[in-house]
Amino acid sequence: MTQFFSVADVDNLSQLVDEALQLKSNPFAAENLGKRKTLGLVFLNPSLRTRLSTQKAAIHLGMDVMVMNMDKEGWALETKDGVVMDGNTVEHIREAAAVMGQYCDILGLRSFPKLQDREEDYSEGLFRKFIDYCKVPVISLESATRHPLQSLTDLITIREYWQETIRPPKVVLAWAPHIKALPQAVPNSFAEWMCRAQAEGMVNFTIAHPKGYALAEEFTDGADLIHSLDEAIKGADFVYVKNWSSYEDYGKIHPVEGKWMIDSSRLALTNGAKVMHCLPVRRDLELASEVLDGPDALVIQEAGNRVWAAQAVLKRMLEQLQEK
Amino acid sequence: MTQFFSVADVDNLSQLVDEALQLKSNPFAAENLGKRKTLGLVFLNPSLRTRLSTQKAAIHLGMDVMVMNMDKEGWALETKDGVVMDGNTVEHIREAAAVMGQYCDILGLRSFPKLQDREEDYSEGLFRKFIDYCKVPVISLESATRHPLQSLTDLITIREYWQETIRPPKVVLAWAPHIKALPQAVPNSFAEWMCRAQAEGMVNFTIAHPKGYALAEEFTDGADLIHSLDEAIKGADFVYVKNWSSYEDYGKIHPVEGKWMIDSSRLALTNGAKVMHCLPVRRDLELASEVLDGPDALVIQEAGNRVWAAQAVLKRMLEQLQEK
Amino acid sequence: MTQFFSVADVDNLSQLVDEALQLKSNPFAAENLGKRKTLGLVFLNPSLRTRLSTQKAAIHLGMDVMVMNMDKEGWALETKDGVVMDGNTVEHIREAAAVMGQYCDILGLRSFPKLQDREEDYSEGLFRKFIDYCKVPVISLESATRHPLQSLTDLITIREYWQETIRPPKVVLAWAPHIKALPQAVPNSFAEWMCRAQAEGMVNFTIAHPKGYALAEEFTDGADLIHSLDEAIKGADFVYVKNWSSYEDYGKIHPVEGKWMIDSSRLALTNGAKVMHCLPVRRDLELASEVLDGPDALVIQEAGNRVWAAQAVLKRMLEQLQEK
């Protein structure tokens, strides 16, 4: 594995999930694999879970970790080519990426979308340039349109909590309210991974969202798309709660009809569903406190599993570096 | 030891001080104790000494350290329960603490008071919630009302520089001027620890402050309280200089009568006292440069001892984790 | 070596360059030398290359590294003596340096000039005080007037890419345009190192800059000073591109006559010169994209060599610590 940017970078999904769960049961099994290797984590946007869990995963593998908060400790990067750099940007992504590739064996990058120009965000230009120029394996710590470490974590968590073998679980991605315009990266990515998992017989996948909040089709191929939350979550085994802004009217928030927040009474419509969220979650706006504090919430366990997702991916990358 | 928040968390004060001094003479004696254990240091406020010394202490014990500057690299945390989170706070302490507990074996937390609502600050709500929700041992890196690593350091330093066995040293906490309203955490904590040390025959303890600057009674039980600096420091063996804002008229600064800054001529009233300060110190405002640069100042040695205080506490916590 | 502040701190220039190149071919040759030693990197200004490369170098030597971004995570330091600290500065450099020296075996410090008072900047007061008060070996991560790790890197890179033994290469420091007033630290330091290298027969050194941009004489002793870029670069083997603000009219930018940016057609005047720049570089303002993206640019390799420069210096300091 030389990049981890989308589900397409994973050859065998089920195997990667299994490997992550094996690492969970034996975190230090490969503690010499990453010896003398350095992981650089580059953040153009803030991070809590992603930074700490990926750092922890690297430690388990014996790697050294260097964290670079470019937004706080660094300076503005230019991403466009053919621009005379006489403005606010101090360094071009071409040089910045290439230089960081000189110092690190594997790089992670986080970069949020600006939510102003859909084409620009969805081209993933910054991320692709970073991969091109740094010349080392790159792991996405969330890009403009995807958050694959979160999605792998989610699939790990679903497998961990679904022991039944007769049928795959019904998984519902449920849009939730918010006061800010959030990226589509987490729901895009979750949908992309669940559609792949569905194609491999691991889950049945439904998406519920208000009209005007459809995700880009490239991510939802094969999913049931429903505009009624109550109808969608009927019989659900897992409900994945997440807000996102409009893809159609790009980056905007529209007033929605009806109530979209999940509380205990609504949860009663499901098949005793476990409730997931990538965090941070705004209590009683996105999701009721009574659910978050109740026995069906998996959000903390899910966050804990971020370590094993990152560790499984880093392990693959290190193994490939070793083969060279 | 599963928490280090106040002197009440220490069973045997003298033993802990001895252990710290043993670690000082042999820093790497327990360098395998913390192997494969991760310390997470969470800062909601800036730190220099506390961060570096605690990180160094953890390194001596073989631990991995992850630092999270939530104020700079993260986002605003909600601490109140029952609030609809539709404002500026992005994540609730319930989730943030629980998640960090998933990634770390021991957590440290720094959180200053807001100095606006005394009841809120003195309830230590944020800190207690953090302890409750993270589910791992927590070491205070300074909370709203206490700074126990500093106080332990201070006691270590006093023992190190007081070799006489006939009588315990006279220790004076001396209020000093400042231009800003500072928390009472350091003086509260110093008083709390010195009162305990006095009860165990290790020191004689006096507090000198202008009228209107009395600390909360819960911290000063058994101390001599004097409103004249000159009278208080007579015969002192250690003078601990520190400013704090009013507890009574909470968080306010009152004009004070007379001069409260300690300089060389004033120091002549003592019994050749050593002068201490937790740092940072404002020269010639809180304390005269001539004292800081003279032979009686212990402030640098005191700061150096922060390592051994942190290491003694972390060692206790690691030993307890091992027993599990 | 107990300080690395200028070329004067290096006894044998050629030997240090050779040692760096040996480390490049065997990065972990001395991986136990820094065991149980801590490097503290203190930044009063942002850093990308310097921080990551020095951190990486320390890792290669087995050191632990603690990074302190005083500008972001800390507070304002007072550097003047005899000042009543009743303003914005929170801690004096005397205490801050001494305390950091308690926690670290070697310290690195970065501090840019303010470009307002030439005498103040060129006195290097802050840096010299830091060295005096911290009591441990100090490595400059760029000071007001010099950037010695960059200059050592540059000399390493020149040696690496100049295999000819019949004559030394012609090296030209070429002033380039910019929109901001930049420090003279990099060009001062480059000139200082190249003049020394020239004196030892390693290079022939020329400086090209517009009128009004002369560097301080103390740095340029023995260099050819030319005001025509085209004339200067004739026959050059290495062109080192860098902007700086005026030393004479201190910290100011003057309009310059003619074009000073190097592009491909201009490069044709040289002896197939390799092009260097310390980065970050503003494309098509300081240096043409076509050159940066072409086969003659060495900027990425040069940045990569920062690791070996830092490692050679740290190795010397560690060896000296060991002798004690």
Side-chain angles (χ1 to χ4, degrees), chain A residues 35-38 40 42 64-75 77 80-92 94-96 98-100 102-105, chain C residues 28 31 45-53 55-56 59-60 67 69 71-73 110 179-180 279-285 289 292-293 299-307:
Chain A
K35 227 189 143 201
R36 294 183 169 182
K37 299 287 183 221
T38 299
V42 183
D64 292 301
V65 183
M66 302 198 293
V67 177
M68 186 73 210
N69 297 307
M70 276 304 285
D71 54 336
K72 303 293 187 310
E73 301 162 18
W75 39 71
L77 296 180
K80 295 207 174 65
D81 285 325
V83 177
V84 176
M85 286 174 59
D86 57 3
N88 291 321
T89 55
V90 171
E91 182 155 25
H92 200 281
R94 283 173 179 261
E95 275 77 44
V99 166
M100 290 192 268
Q102 296 274 318
Y103 304 144
C104 301
D105 300 286
Chain C
F28 292 95
E31 72 180 328
N45 301 96
S47 168
L48 170 63
R49 269 155 289 277
T50 299
R51 205 258 278 172
L52 295 181
S53 62
Q55 197 169 348
K56 185 70 179 280
I59 289 171
H60 285 157
V67 177
N69 296 306
D71 55 335
K72 302 295 187 310
E73 302 161 18
R110 162 164 289 196
I179 57 159
K180 286 195 167 182
L279 304 183
V281 63
R282 287 177 174 247
R283 288 178 159 247
D284 295 314
L285 176 68
S289 287
L292 279 164
D293 297 332
V299 299
I300 305 303
Q301 297 91 325
E302 187 185 352
N305 281 340
R306 293 290 305 272
V307 175

Side-chain angles (χ1 to χ4, degrees), chain C residues 140-193:
Chain C
S140 168
L141 309 172
E142 186 170 347
S143 72
T145 65
R146 287 169 178 90
H147 194 351
L149 281 176
Q150 181 64 51
S151 307
L152 173 55
T153 300
D154 298 332
L155 194 55
I156 292 166
T157 307
I158 288 169
R159 175 160 297 181
E160 195 180 10
Y161 286 87
W162 186 258
Q163 302 298 340
E164 199 176 306
T165 52
I166 300 163
R167 65 169 179 91
K170 177 177 178 180
V171 177
V172 180
L173 168 60
W175 185 91
H178 207 285
I179 57 159
K180 286 195 167 182
L182 299 191
Q184 297 101 31
V186 168
N188 279 347
S189 199
F190 186 76
E192 186 178 56
W193 284 67

Side-chain angles (χ1 to χ4, degrees), chain A residues 48 52, chain B residues 40-45 66-70 77 100 104 107-111 130 141:
Chain A
L48 171 62
L52 295 180
Chain B
L41 299 179
V42 183
F43 291 94
L44 305 186
N45 302 95
M66 303 197 294
V67 176
M68 185 73 211
N69 296 307
M70 276 304 286
L77 296 179
M100 290 191 268
C104 301
L107 281 167
L109 175 67
R110 161 163 290 195
S111 172
F130 189 86
L141 308 171

